[in-house]
Amino acid sequence: MSDYIIEMNHITKRFPGIVANDDVSIQVKKGEIYALLGENGAGKSTLMSMLFGMYEPDEGEIIIRGEKVKIQSPNHATKLNIGMVHQHFKLVSNYTIAENIIMGMEPVKKTLGIFKSVDLKKANEDILALSRKFGLEVDPTKVIEQVNVSMQQRVEILKMLYREAEILIFDEPTAVLTPQEIEFLLEIIRSLRDDGKTIILITHKLEEIKKIADRCAILCRGRLIDVLNVAQTDTKTMANLMVGREVSFTVDKPEPKYGKEVLRVEHLTVRNEDKYEVVKDVSFSVREGEIFVVAGVSGNGQIELADAIAGLMKPSSGTVTLNGADITAYSIRKRNLAGISYIPEDRHNVGLVMDFTLSDNLALKSYFEEPFSHKGVIDSEKFTSYGEELIGKYDIRSSQGNDTIVRSMSGGNQQKAIIAREIELGSSLTIFVQPTRGLDIGAIENIHKQIIGERSKGKAILLISLELDEVMNLADTIGVIYNGEIQKIADARTLTPSEVGEFMMGVGGRHEKK
Amino acid sequence: MNTIIIDGLSFALPLFIMAIGGIYCERSGITNLAIEGLQGFGAFCGALFAVSIAQYFAGNSPVPFYLAMLFAFLGGMLFSLLHAMLCIKFKANQVISGVVINILAMALTEFMTKQINASIFGAASNKFVLGVSARITVPVLSRIPVLGAVFTNLYPFEIVIALIAVAAWYILYKTRFGLHLRACGDNPHAVDAAGIEVSKVRLIAVMASGALSGLGGICFAYSISANFSSNIYSGYGYLAIAALIFGNWKILPTLGACMLFGFARSGGYELVKVLEMPSSYQDLVMVLPYVLTLLMLVFFSKKNHAPKALGEIYDKGSR
Amino acid sequence: MKKSKNNLLHKLILQTIGHEKRQSYMIPVFTIILSLIFGIIVIALLGSNPLGAYCNLLQGSGLAPKASYAGHKGMITDFTSFLNALTPMLFAALAVLIALRAGLFNIGVSGQMLAAGFTATILIGYSDLSAVIAKPLTVIIGFVIGALAGALVGYLKHRFNINEVVSTIMFNYIFQNVISFLINTFYVDPVSRQSKNVGAAGRLTLVDVVIGDYKMDIPLGILLAAVGIAVTAFILGKTTLGFEIKAVGSSVRAAEYAGIQVGRTRVLAMMLSGGFAGLAGVTYYMGYFASIQPKVLVSTGYDAIAVALLGNSSPVGIVFSSFLITVISKGSTYMSSTSGVQAEIASAITGIILLFSACGAFVKYKVNRWKEDTK
């Protein structure tokens, strides 16, 4: 018998175009907190998806409690007492917490001795007890849509515990949390470990690992680099190993040359569909030749802010001024014409008409103008020649060129098409929302170069980013948003990454205020 | 007043049972515009069976009627498998599937009715004559002033419907299956993650919808039209859809909406009678429920929340 | 053994409908063949000769010679009568098609036809206007009334988020009942129990024209329908409006993002759709026929859905598909009288075609997957 509860030996997993895991072997002891460290796309999530039965490895073996297993489905993983908290929670929004937790294994009672029904009372009691045991502070009778993200995450944890999971996998659990919530979560994870559970933590945040992990495996581009004892190492060593020496993330960026003001946002407040204020009294401005980055943790109102500037959402108060003209009441079309380009977060449902051809998508924002059409009649030849021009200029790769249906194109090339279209509009302001999300490293570098290129042309850039590295590399000015409010606006050179990080968590600058 | 209540109920209850079927289907996340066709096909099966066995029973025997209900139930369920296949297996557009099923049901039943009449019963007719179901009056309860009308001159099917409705309510809101079903309409990924097969739950929901629609259809055939013919396609299925939207996809409020339709209709007919208008004015009264539906939709379509995952094609892989 | 057989089948299917460019017409052709086979089986089961019955369909549509003709009648008579029935079908299919392209499902074509046909009947059909003025007016009124009815549906969708399927069905019943009431109260012909016949001046079909030895009905609307198809193809393929309609139909959010006014586009598309339905109405009630039967909605509006889906939502495609569906429905009367199969089988076969068409997207998806697998 080995001492390890989990052994994953020589795991290789390939996806079309990339090797996500290349001969990776890890061994996890019972009752330890084992961290998987690596950048986006390093292969952490893929590795754990195989442990949780979502994919099968192409090569290699998985051994659980000394027995070789083939984990075919998440259900199978659950039976092996493996649980996973995904980045995207899987919760029924109009159900209570208890209903969500018990789903699939509901306690049943019999009314009048014959009619079976779900015993919610017993469920509530059981869950309350479980919640108390691990200090989760969950009220099982609350409805999911009325509780915050942190609580929803704890519901996911309870789901695993209710299913008697012994091995708990957390996929980037802190990405969506505030600092206090993170502290609370780490506390919970510790108490789970103390109860004898084995914990695997997927993350790219070094401080968290330093705080709670026992051991840490570092992955870089699909390969296992090293496994370290956290107590005997420092964050700097881990960082170097994680990034890998050959990739440099610093971007060549000339000194800024600012021109006149392009965008001015004043006291902008935006409410979402539920009338909840998601952007609160936000003011800032962007100049020619400036990259203004709105930094923040996901879900703090930055998407809505971008939507409101581009016209996709209506602000409830405040003004947006572009090149001196008040455009607050403009339609989306009028804003585009006035000089706004917009690379949206959701490239599939918003940025592209997926069933249109590439050339139609490249002309999506100019089809109604000369020379693309004359008095409402489309000039197909212009569509074709324009498409070919952009395909060449931006190196958009597809199977059938202009006539390719964009649905069939790869994510990176879809994003290239959007960026090509938006840049070619020649707008004075370009809004990028998470332009590199989900792309591989080469594509990311390419997009960063394009953003810098636009800046050199004297365009104003508004960049919304969740990645601290991206923020620090590209920004001339940083505006940190937290809970819908701008916490801090400052020249990027005057801020350190950790300061920005603190503001992103809503805790920065406390000493300043005093 | 009594006639308004009696006729109103006998119209509202079959509508209600179809709407419950629709709620099952839509709460599981499958758009159901096929109720109209399902109720027609169900009624066809029931009527066909009743006509074929009629000779073995006395003229006033209630047995054929109950068997007809059973077969309408099964017939609707059978036909709903088409909708399930298109929506769940083939991942077709659910709206298109619904419309296709309506048109197909209409065409098939019309053809088969005529063909069967011609080749088996040797008659050139486009209907199966059923007669009107006998009525019953509950002894004591019917004496209650005003409300007593509810228990007067009842069609037996109204009692059956009431019982099924209670059972349907219990299953949807109290049992494990109901919990799974309603979750499928909000976040199928959560259901899948809990180890429950989404497509199986949805299949059962669609079948329930077919069965209940068929039941509603045969009730209309045995009351309003007294036969089965293409007249069964008078938009009952669509009224049921409007009722369930108005009822916010919940069973009890939907009952209220069905009652409103029923009483508006019976009240209108009563008005024509009382004012001694010519019978062609009945056509105008017939318009009432439809106009009411549109008005209700104008006021409620935006306010009410459809199940979140309604109409979305569920693909295990995507998030 | 079973596996190799499957592989053979796969290969065969891939060979025939695997090619992406050819799929747009190969899949509908497959659909039709399957449906016709279904029809053959049913007719054979009923004890009639399927091929004879199908021949009758062609004969009834004037596409094949009948055994004998009555005086002054011939194949050409049947054929012009077929064109007379084809005209409203083409318009109705255009109506469904243009709405479908905008992502909307207009199943209210029959009701819109009735509303337009009835309005034109009482305003022009019962007037003493001369033919030169009356005929264009009939066309205009038909288009305008239909367009208004369609635009209302589009507006309800845009403003109140009312599902267009439900609202068009409601309007179908409302038009049907209200117009039935009006006919029975004011315009009824006591003998036929239908609305009184319209005058020849406003009618869009020239009746009993004698050419050579034959008497025939000549539908003027068929020319208009040809123009309608060309116009629709032009709008969808070559105009910014068409670009907007297709964008809204494919992705509402992306269209909105591109600066397209989704609500306006939808209302316009429904207006065009309703307008075509109105033209179908006047060519039906004041062309093919000359009166309106109360309480009856014609099946044309529903058949048109089959036509549009089968025709792959393309203006050229529907020329072929409406031809086919009209042969089936028009020829069914003659088939019924000669081979004894109930005429209603026509709509049953149409329904089956519709069912198979609805599976088309799935077939395409599956075939393309196989193709990738075999690669």
mmCIF file of all heavy atoms in Angstrom, chain A residues 238-253:
data_model
loop_
_atom_site.group_PDB
_atom_site.id
_atom_site.type_symbol
_atom_site.label_atom_id
_atom_site.label_comp_id
_atom_site.label_asym_id
_atom_site.label_seq_id
_atom_site.Cartn_x
_atom_site.Cartn_y
_atom_site.Cartn_z
ATOM 1 N N MET A 238 8.836 30.290 -6.327
ATOM 2 C CA MET A 238 7.646 29.746 -6.974
ATOM 3 C C MET A 238 7.291 30.562 -8.206
ATOM 4 O O MET A 238 6.964 30.011 -9.266
ATOM 5 C CB MET A 238 6.478 29.731 -5.984
ATOM 6 C CG MET A 238 6.640 28.712 -4.873
ATOM 7 S SD MET A 238 5.105 28.379 -3.983
ATOM 8 C CE MET A 238 4.965 29.805 -2.951
ATOM 9 N N ALA A 239 7.354 31.886 -8.081
ATOM 10 C CA ALA A 239 6.991 32.755 -9.204
ATOM 11 C C ALA A 239 7.877 32.486 -10.405
ATOM 12 O O ALA A 239 7.401 32.352 -11.530
ATOM 13 C CB ALA A 239 7.089 34.213 -8.791
ATOM 14 N N ASN A 240 9.175 32.372 -10.164
ATOM 15 C CA ASN A 240 10.109 32.131 -11.262
ATOM 16 C C ASN A 240 9.811 30.814 -11.964
ATOM 17 O O ASN A 240 9.809 30.733 -13.190
ATOM 18 C CB ASN A 240 11.546 32.122 -10.756
ATOM 19 C CG ASN A 240 12.018 33.528 -10.446
ATOM 20 O OD1 ASN A 240 11.420 34.487 -10.922
ATOM 21 N ND2 ASN A 240 13.058 33.642 -9.635
ATOM 22 N N LEU A 241 9.550 29.790 -11.139
ATOM 23 C CA LEU A 241 9.248 28.495 -11.733
ATOM 24 C C LEU A 241 7.947 28.541 -12.520
ATOM 25 O O LEU A 241 7.812 27.945 -13.579
ATOM 26 C CB LEU A 241 9.144 27.436 -10.630
ATOM 27 C CG LEU A 241 10.469 27.018 -10.005
ATOM 28 C CD1 LEU A 241 10.203 26.161 -8.779
ATOM 29 C CD2 LEU A 241 11.300 26.257 -11.028
ATOM 30 N N MET A 242 6.951 29.266 -11.968
ATOM 31 C CA MET A 242 5.639 29.300 -12.590
ATOM 32 C C MET A 242 5.693 29.966 -13.959
ATOM 33 O O MET A 242 5.144 29.472 -14.924
ATOM 34 C CB MET A 242 4.664 30.052 -11.684
ATOM 35 C CG MET A 242 3.326 30.368 -12.323
ATOM 36 S SD MET A 242 2.169 31.039 -11.134
ATOM 37 C CE MET A 242 2.263 32.757 -11.478
ATOM 38 N N VAL A 243 6.370 31.109 -14.028
ATOM 39 C CA VAL A 243 6.378 31.869 -15.273
ATOM 40 C C VAL A 243 7.264 31.177 -16.305
ATOM 41 O O VAL A 243 6.988 31.206 -17.491
ATOM 42 C CB VAL A 243 6.850 33.304 -15.017
ATOM 43 C CG1 VAL A 243 6.987 34.067 -16.323
ATOM 44 C CG2 VAL A 243 5.863 34.007 -14.107
ATOM 45 N N GLY A 244 8.307 30.488 -15.853
ATOM 46 C CA GLY A 244 9.213 29.865 -16.807
ATOM 47 C C GLY A 244 10.145 30.938 -17.314
ATOM 48 O O GLY A 244 9.729 32.059 -17.554
ATOM 49 N N ARG A 245 11.399 30.603 -17.474
ATOM 50 C CA ARG A 245 12.347 31.673 -17.717
ATOM 51 C C ARG A 245 12.258 32.250 -19.116
ATOM 52 O O ARG A 245 12.523 33.413 -19.327
ATOM 53 C CB ARG A 245 13.757 31.182 -17.406
ATOM 54 C CG ARG A 245 14.025 31.245 -15.917
ATOM 55 C CD ARG A 245 15.162 30.377 -15.487
ATOM 56 N NE ARG A 245 15.070 30.102 -14.071
ATOM 57 C CZ ARG A 245 14.509 29.005 -13.572
ATOM 58 N NH1 ARG A 245 14.043 28.079 -14.388
ATOM 59 N NH2 ARG A 245 14.425 28.825 -12.278
ATOM 60 N N GLU A 246 11.862 31.430 -20.076
ATOM 61 C CA GLU A 246 11.941 31.927 -21.450
ATOM 62 C C GLU A 246 10.846 32.928 -21.807
ATOM 63 O O GLU A 246 11.031 33.758 -22.683
ATOM 64 C CB GLU A 246 12.020 30.788 -22.470
ATOM 65 C CG GLU A 246 10.922 29.741 -22.454
ATOM 66 C CD GLU A 246 11.055 28.690 -21.360
ATOM 67 O OE1 GLU A 246 11.256 29.076 -20.204
ATOM 68 O OE2 GLU A 246 10.919 27.496 -21.650
ATOM 69 N N VAL A 247 9.697 32.870 -21.147
ATOM 70 C CA VAL A 247 8.629 33.800 -21.513
ATOM 71 C C VAL A 247 8.783 35.103 -20.742
ATOM 72 O O VAL A 247 8.792 35.108 -19.523
ATOM 73 C CB VAL A 247 7.241 33.204 -21.192
ATOM 74 C CG1 VAL A 247 6.157 34.106 -21.751
ATOM 75 C CG2 VAL A 247 7.138 31.819 -21.766
ATOM 76 N N SER A 248 8.907 36.179 -21.465
ATOM 77 C CA SER A 248 8.938 37.455 -20.765
ATOM 78 C C SER A 248 7.609 38.140 -20.990
ATOM 79 O O SER A 248 7.108 38.186 -22.103
ATOM 80 C CB SER A 248 10.072 38.323 -21.304
ATOM 81 O OG SER A 248 9.568 39.384 -22.061
ATOM 82 N N PHE A 249 6.994 38.593 -19.922
ATOM 83 C CA PHE A 249 5.676 39.184 -20.065
ATOM 84 C C PHE A 249 5.716 40.700 -20.146
ATOM 85 O O PHE A 249 4.697 41.344 -20.264
ATOM 86 C CB PHE A 249 4.752 38.742 -18.932
ATOM 87 C CG PHE A 249 3.968 37.541 -19.308
ATOM 88 C CD1 PHE A 249 4.445 36.273 -19.048
ATOM 89 C CD2 PHE A 249 2.764 37.679 -19.971
ATOM 90 C CE1 PHE A 249 3.727 35.167 -19.431
ATOM 91 C CE2 PHE A 249 2.047 36.564 -20.345
ATOM 92 C CZ PHE A 249 2.517 35.303 -20.078
ATOM 93 N N THR A 250 6.921 41.229 -20.071
ATOM 94 C CA THR A 250 6.974 42.672 -20.196
ATOM 95 C C THR A 250 6.886 43.029 -21.672
ATOM 96 O O THR A 250 7.402 42.342 -22.529
ATOM 97 C CB THR A 250 8.277 43.242 -19.619
ATOM 98 O OG1 THR A 250 9.351 42.418 -20.089
ATOM 99 C CG2 THR A 250 8.245 43.253 -18.110
ATOM 100 N N VAL A 251 6.149 44.075 -21.951
ATOM 101 C CA VAL A 251 5.906 44.468 -23.321
ATOM 102 C C VAL A 251 6.686 45.746 -23.586
ATOM 103 O O VAL A 251 6.759 46.623 -22.729
ATOM 104 C CB VAL A 251 4.399 44.727 -23.528
ATOM 105 C CG1 VAL A 251 4.097 44.979 -24.985
ATOM 106 C CG2 VAL A 251 3.591 43.565 -22.994
ATOM 107 N N ASP A 252 7.291 45.824 -24.776
ATOM 108 C CA ASP A 252 7.985 47.053 -25.142
ATOM 109 C C ASP A 252 6.981 48.172 -25.304
ATOM 110 O O ASP A 252 6.097 48.101 -26.158
ATOM 111 C CB ASP A 252 8.723 46.839 -26.477
ATOM 112 C CG ASP A 252 10.107 46.271 -26.212
ATOM 113 O OD1 ASP A 252 10.597 46.445 -25.081
ATOM 114 O OD2 ASP A 252 10.664 45.659 -27.147
ATOM 115 N N LYS A 253 7.135 49.176 -24.481
ATOM 116 C CA LYS A 253 6.138 50.234 -24.527
ATOM 117 C C LYS A 253 6.865 51.572 -24.449
ATOM 118 O O LYS A 253 7.492 51.878 -23.432
ATOM 119 C CB LYS A 253 5.190 50.078 -23.343
ATOM 120 C CG LYS A 253 3.852 50.745 -23.550
ATOM 121 C CD LYS A 253 2.916 50.489 -22.377
ATOM 122 C CE LYS A 253 3.363 51.272 -21.166
ATOM 123 N NZ LYS A 253 2.375 51.311 -20.095
#
